[in-house]
Every structure is written in structure tokens, then in C-alpha cells.
Amino acid sequence: MGARPHAGRPDEHPDEQPDDADALFALEDIDTGQERHRPADAGPLFRDSPAARRLLSVRAVHAEPAAAASPRGRQILARFPDAEVVPVASHWGIPELHGNAGNVDRWVRIKSETLVLGEKKTLTTRPNGRSADWIAPGPANGCAMACAYCYVPRRKGYANPITVFTNIERIIAHLSRHMARLGPKTEANQCDPTAWVYDIGENSDCSVDALISDNVADLIRAFARRPSAKASFATKFVNPDLLLLDPRGRTRVRFSVMPQQDSTLLDIRTSPVRDRIAAAGDFLEAGYQVHFNLSPVVLRPDWERDWSLLLRHMDDVLPRAVKEQAAAEVIMLTHNKDLHDLNLGWHPRAEEALWRPDLQQPKRSQNGSLNVRYRGGVKAEAVETMRTLVAAHAPWLRIRYAF
């Protein structure tokens, strides 16, 4: 049996050590700006482009005072000099954002025009065993994109713009101590044969987060120094600024893909699927490991045909070097009753594909939310169909897990 993370180890207790205790990452991993790491001929950063500004046209920054006053907070505020700064006691409780049902009419606008700055108070690293060995404390939560099936908005009352955690140095110090306690990975498992894999983007999209601050760049540089560990994050956005970093094979980018017909309906404000696939070669050449998420798989008429076409396209255009190291996760759609009701207020067409009582059954989540997923037999048949399609059209694509 492959190595598995042990629950309760090494984060049984809250951090009691100073932030720099047992630090394995050098101080230069924490940067005050990306400029000094750019090649002289790199040209303007994408995050300063009109396209990036359209995705994030920030007009209001809700900020905890300590977060706004921190070096990272000041860096972020300088990026949006015209934004109104609204002091808040906690990033978790902002009445005009969280739990405000009237926000449904401004669902996408809030994601574009609002930013939150906070400090991550509780630092824990949880065992996973699917995408990664461990779920790390992320540098942000929320997203500027608006995927209709996303579970992340439920964490803060559904209106969930990006919250950036400005105490990145504490997050990196915490991960440093966690890795020191683990030591080398001695048994291979499906996450990785030799490295402990840490998902750094469970509740956000790191490619978008990198448009706002250097938190993601700091983490990528930190993991580049660790031969026993890898960072990992899934993304639906192509941010070429990440190509300017030097990950040295220690960061795994998982490009999420689905048939473009599904993406057009459900992946609002994301990069086109073909652009995500086309970027794979550039990211591999820049020193990233590149995997794919075939996710979510949405069951609707002709879904098998459209997934076949997508897999054939991947087989046609991906370089051999990408194929030789690629692996994939296959994830069937899970939806949520409250999110379904909210989507009916801003994007009802999406619910025609996502909400299928004829195929789905309820599932109570650990936090008490009522989720729905495809019924056991339906799901098992669809998973097997996906395995068959991959084997037929992209036989080089190893499936790490499917559920």
C-alpha cells in the first residue's frame, strides 16, 4: 500500500511556535514585488493588462486594519489606488457581502469590483489523499470567476469575492514546520511517487490570485527549494505571469478542462478551454509539472460525444513532452440545493444542466449542507464511460483517480 498522510499529524495542535521557528524557507521567498524576479526582456506583466483589469476592476477593498497595514496589504492597495478602502473587523463577517440575498443581482459584479484583505488566523494542514497528500492553508479564498457549480461561495454566505490573506509569511513558516515533521516521502502513492503534495488552492484559483499579489509566487518559490514536496493547484485561467517564475518541477498545475459547450454555459469568466490546453506546453517548459482535471463531468444529452471530441483535440495538439508526464483526475458533478436556488436568480440556464432530480440523489455534507450528486448506478456507469473514452482517445493520459 502506498504512503498515506496520517490524520492528526503533524497539526494536532494550533501553532504555538514563533512564525520563524524551524524555518526552512529563506527570507527571500517572501517578496515585496515581482519586479526583481522578471527577466530584463520580459515586457509588461499580464496582470497590468486591459484583460486582467477587466476581470478585476476593483472599486472597493474591505480590509482588516492589520491586513491593510502589512507589507503585502500595502502592496495590494497600491495596485488599486482608486479603490475605496472600507475597514472591517473580520473578513468572515461583512454584512453587505455575506448572507445578503439581495446580492444575487450583482453576483458577477461583486466578484469583479470587490476585494477583501484579511489575515488567516487558524493555520491547519489537513490530510487529503486524492488530488494531494495534504490541503495546505491557502493564500486566498473566493474567486473573481463565476463557475455556476462552484462550492466555494457557500463558505461565506454565497457572495464570495476574493479574500487575500496578507500574512503569507506565517503560512509559509507553518508549511515549513509541517514538512520538517514529515520528513521524506518513503512510499509512493497515487498523489506522487516521491514528493509530499500540498494543494495550495483548495478554495481559490491561484492563477487569478496571482493577478492581485505575490502570494502565489512566494509559495512557488518556496516549494522550489524543497526536494521532498510539491505545491499543486487546479486552475481554469491562463496567467502567463506564472511563466516568469522558476518552479523547478516543484509545482503541479492542474488545468481543468471540459467540453467547450459546457464551459460556455457554466465556466463564467474563465479562459477558453482550448487556451488552457494550449498553455500546457508553455507551463511544462517553464518548469511546472502539468496535469489535467476532467471536471466536472456533467451528464446531459451528447455528453459522451463532446468529451470524445475534447480528448481527441488534446491528443492532436499537446506536445509529446506534456503527454509523457501528464495525469488526470475525473470528477463527476456535485451540486448544492442552496446554490441551485441562488443560481436561479442570476443564471437559470445553467440549472437546466446542473439540476437533474431524475439522475441525482441528496447527500448531506459534513457541514450540514444539502448536496446532490448523481445516483450510485448512474455515477458508476458514467465514470466507467469516462475511463473508456480516455483509453480510446487519449491513451497516454493516466487517470490518477475518478469519482
Side-chain angles (χ1 to χ4, degrees):
M1 178 180 290
R4 291 178 57 84
H6 301 288
R9 174 196 174 212
D11 284 314
E12 288 181 340
H13 306 290
D15 280 334
E16 298 175 351
Q17 305 175 60
D19 290 342
D20 59 352
D22 301 325
L24 300 181
F25 297 131
L27 290 177
E28 57 264 29
D29 292 324
I30 308 298
D31 195 12
T32 58
Q34 204 172 39
E35 294 296 325
R36 70 185 179 90
H37 294 276
R38 296 172 62 209
D41 60 349
L45 288 170
F46 174 76
R47 70 183 187 184
D48 295 323
S49 69
R53 295 291 184 180
R54 283 193 296 271
L55 184 70
L56 279 165
S57 51
V58 176
R59 297 186 179 183
V61 180
H62 299 260
E64 295 175 359
S70 68
R72 185 50 42 88
R74 293 196 301 271
Q75 178 199 24
I76 294 168
L77 292 176
R79 285 194 48 71
F80 305 103
D82 297 328
E84 177 188 7
V85 180
V86 183
V88 296
S90 170
H91 69 87
W92 273 108
I94 304 175
E96 55 266 48
L97 290 180
H98 304 149
N100 182 351
N103 282 329
V104 67
D105 294 333
R106 301 177 61 247
W107 185 251
V108 174
R109 180 178 294 181
I110 287 174
K111 289 175 169 289
S112 173
E113 297 182 352
T114 304
L115 189 63
V116 180
L117 302 185
E119 292 186 328
K120 199 170 186 69
K121 307 300 192 298
T122 303
L123 300 178
T124 58
T125 296
R126 298 180 285 107
N128 179 251
R130 281 181 170 169
S131 290
D133 295 294
W134 301 95
I135 304 297
N141 68 33
C143 192
M145 299 184 291
C147 300
Y149 48 81
C150 181
Y151 67 89
V152 173
R154 304 200 293 269
R155 293 179 59 82
K156 287 190 174 180
Y158 292 89
N160 196 15
I162 296 174
T163 297
V164 180
F165 298 121
T166 61
N167 54 335
I168 186 65
E169 71 286 345
R170 283 200 64 220
I171 294 173
I172 289 179
H174 165 88
L175 288 171
S176 173
R177 294 193 294 273
H178 191 277
M179 294 176 200
R181 293 183 182 117
L182 278 179
K185 189 175 193 176
T186 58
E187 295 182 61
N189 63 11
Q190 67 90 21
C191 299
D192 194 86
T194 61
W196 294 110
V197 180
Y198 291 76
D199 193 321
I200 62 171
E202 181 191 31
N203 292 313
S204 67
D205 189 306
C206 289
S207 296
V208 177
D209 298 340
L211 299 175
I212 301 168
S213 79
D214 290 332
N215 277 4
V216 174
D218 288 341
L219 282 164
I220 289 172
R221 281 191 288 269
F223 275 91
R225 301 172 183 272
R226 297 295 300 162
S228 65
K230 286 180 182 176
S232 178
F233 63 88
T235 184
K236 297 170 189 170
F237 188 78
V238 179
N239 181 352
D241 290 346
L242 297 180
L243 300 174
L244 302 176
L245 305 176
D246 184 21
R248 305 178 194 175
R250 310 316 299 173
T251 294
R252 174 185 295 165
V253 177
R254 301 172 353 252
F255 284 106
S256 293
V257 298
M258 60 168 59
Q260 187 59 53
Q261 177 178 328
D262 290 332
S263 182
T264 300
L265 178 66
L266 305 173
D267 277 358
I268 310 302
R269 311 188 86 217
T270 62
S271 297
V273 173
R274 286 187 174 231
D275 290 358
R276 304 176 211 172
I277 295 169
D282 293 335
F283 274 77
L284 182 67
E285 186 175 348
Y288 293 89
Q289 186 178 39
V290 178
H291 285 190
F292 297 95
N293 282 7
L294 311 183
S295 144
V297 178
V298 178
L299 304 188
R300 42 93 177 158
D302 297 324
W303 70 271
E304 302 99 323
R305 179 202 64 193
D306 290 345
W307 274 100
S308 296
L309 293 173
L310 174 64
L311 291 165
R312 288 178 203 164
H313 174 72
M314 294 173 68
D315 187 52
D316 288 341
V317 304
L318 285 172
R320 177 179 297 178
V322 172
K323 295 178 180 180
E324 289 174 347
Q325 55 82 69
E329 305 161 15
V330 177
I331 305 172
M332 306 299 296
L333 170 72
T334 297
H335 199 25
N336 174 270
K337 176 62 167 63
D338 291 337
L339 185 58
H340 162 69
D341 293 339
L342 187 147
N343 283 348
L344 290 175
W346 77 278
H347 192 15
R349 283 192 58 239
E351 291 307 301
E352 296 174 10
L354 298 177
W355 192 253
R356 295 289 306 276
D358 56 320
L359 300 178
Q360 293 165 330
Q361 63 186 16
K363 174 184 181 293
R364 186 70 64 177
S365 71
Q366 291 180 348
N367 66 7
S369 297
L370 182 60
N371 296 337
V372 294
R373 63 183 180 185
Y374 296 122
R375 292 197 300 268
V378 173
K379 180 177 178 179
E381 183 178 349
V383 167
E384 186 57 34
T385 297
M386 284 296 296
R387 289 186 179 276
T388 300
L389 293 176
V390 171
H393 304 300
W396 45 268
L397 186 56
R398 175 174 60 92
I399 296 178
R400 290 200 296 114
Y401 71 90
F403 77 99

